[in-house]
Amino acid sequence: MSDILPFCQVKLQYLLDLVLDQSLDDNAFRVAAYLALTHADHDTGECHPSFETIGTALGRHAKSVKRALNKPEMARHLTVVRGTNRGNASRYRPTEDALRRATQRRREGDKIVPLSRAKGGQSCPPEGAYLSGKGGQERPPNREKELKPRTAAAAPDLPGKGQSDTAPAQNAPPSALVFVPQGICFARDWNDRLAQEGLATLDRSLPLAVNGPHRGFWVPARSPAPRGSPEWREQVRQLRCLAGKEAGQMEQRHAG
């Protein structure tokens, strides 16, 4: 399963797969979606709430929940390992087939469009931005629009340009960088990799930036490149440059 992305990165694509499956009735869909949204493990999607816990949250009887799980299991959305009646709860996990479908959908070009919180509108993220900190919706690429030359009037919203009704980014770096809100899986991926390499984590080396309603960091890509690759070495170089600029700015502020 090494080619399958962590569940947190394909959760929306997994939910879309549930939505499009006409074999699932309302009760089956709600139970499967509740497991994915509320209890699923960050990497594997596995969880083990009891039938009573699920039923209380959804206003259903435990027996109704147990019956509802049969349909996503038969449709190969979920693997269900049923427990005993002695305090051993059942375990639920997205099937490898479901995770593979979600990963393929993500890699084929699905993006996440953050919702503007300033006036309730919607704005497009900068090129290369994949995930908002809270919420969002999927937007397939518009190939016809991408082939047309961009003009100043039709350019997408860029951090700090004030083109949309979203609050402008503070201290926005060049658009080649990607904004990653703190606390989401991409920020954790960066911190894990940096710690493995013996480097300072994002919060210790980079300034905490504000982009619309979110706080986070500007990094070279949404996820670190494979260890030892030329892309990873270039990413480390960019991070060191950003950290050096931040240190220089702090020295200037102290000197002033």
Side-chain angles (χ1 to χ4, degrees):
M1 293 178 60
S2 59
D3 59 331
I4 295 177
L5 294 172
F7 184 68
C8 69
Q9 297 184 24
V10 297
K11 184 181 296 185
L12 293 183
Q13 288 76 16
Y14 174 78
L15 290 172
L16 179 59
D17 208 24
L18 293 176
V19 170
L20 297 178
D21 190 343
Q22 298 182 14
S23 70
L24 301 181
D25 58 25
D26 179 67
N27 201 29
F29 169 75
R30 290 185 65 193
V31 170
Y34 171 78
L35 293 175
L37 290 170
T38 309
H39 295 280
D41 177 76
H42 174 83
D43 292 316
T44 66
E46 182 174 322
C47 57
H48 48 86
S50 66
F51 296 142
E52 289 75 12
T53 298
I54 301 171
T56 299
L58 299 180
R60 296 285 191 273
H61 193 277
K63 291 184 178 179
S64 176
V65 171
K66 187 175 181 179
R67 288 193 301 270
L69 284 165
N70 291 330
K71 290 190 176 181
E73 183 182 19
M74 293 177 61
R76 297 193 59 77
H77 295 292
L78 275 178
T79 295
V80 181
V81 179
R82 288 172 173 78
T84 65
N85 294 326
R86 299 180 180 179
N88 185 14
S90 298
R91 305 183 72 87
Y92 320 101
R93 181 172 182 164
T95 64
E96 183 175 342
D97 288 344
L99 291 176
R100 198 175 297 280
R101 289 193 301 269
T103 296
Q104 181 179 1
R105 188 188 299 276
R106 175 67 184 267
R107 285 175 172 160
E108 284 176 351
D110 280 1
K111 296 182 180 179
I112 308 304
V113 181
L115 299 181
S116 167
R117 302 202 177 197
K119 297 182 180 179
Q122 174 177 316
S123 61
C124 295
E127 294 292 339
Y130 288 82
L131 187 66
S132 67
K134 298 180 181 178
Q137 69 182 42
E138 298 184 42
R139 182 194 66 173
N142 188 332
R143 302 301 181 191
E144 181 180 352
K145 183 177 180 180
E146 290 176 359
L147 294 176
K148 295 180 180 179
R150 297 179 184 269
T151 63
D157 292 351
L158 296 176
K161 297 298 183 181
Q163 288 175 278
S164 71
D165 54 7
T166 305
Q170 298 178 7
N171 304 322
S175 58
L177 300 179
V178 176
F179 183 78
V180 174
Q182 63 179 158
I184 69 169
C185 57
F186 297 131
R188 290 193 289 269
D189 290 343
W190 272 105
N191 286 331
D192 290 344
R193 174 65 64 79
L194 292 170
Q196 292 171 7
E197 298 286 346
L199 302 173
T201 55
L202 298 179
D203 57 322
R204 292 180 177 272
S205 59
L206 299 181
L208 184 62
V210 177
N211 187 26
H214 309 298
R215 292 178 175 270
F217 307 95
W218 290 97
V219 292
R222 66 186 176 93
S223 297
R227 297 182 68 178
S229 66
E231 292 82 3
W232 169 242
R233 290 193 291 271
E234 174 61 19
Q235 289 177 353
V236 172
R237 186 193 67 79
Q238 294 182 47
L239 287 173
R240 285 173 173 164
C241 289
L242 291 171
K245 289 180 181 179
E246 171 63 9
Q249 292 175 0
M250 290 182 64
E251 289 181 1
Q252 292 180 1
R253 288 194 292 267
H254 288 310

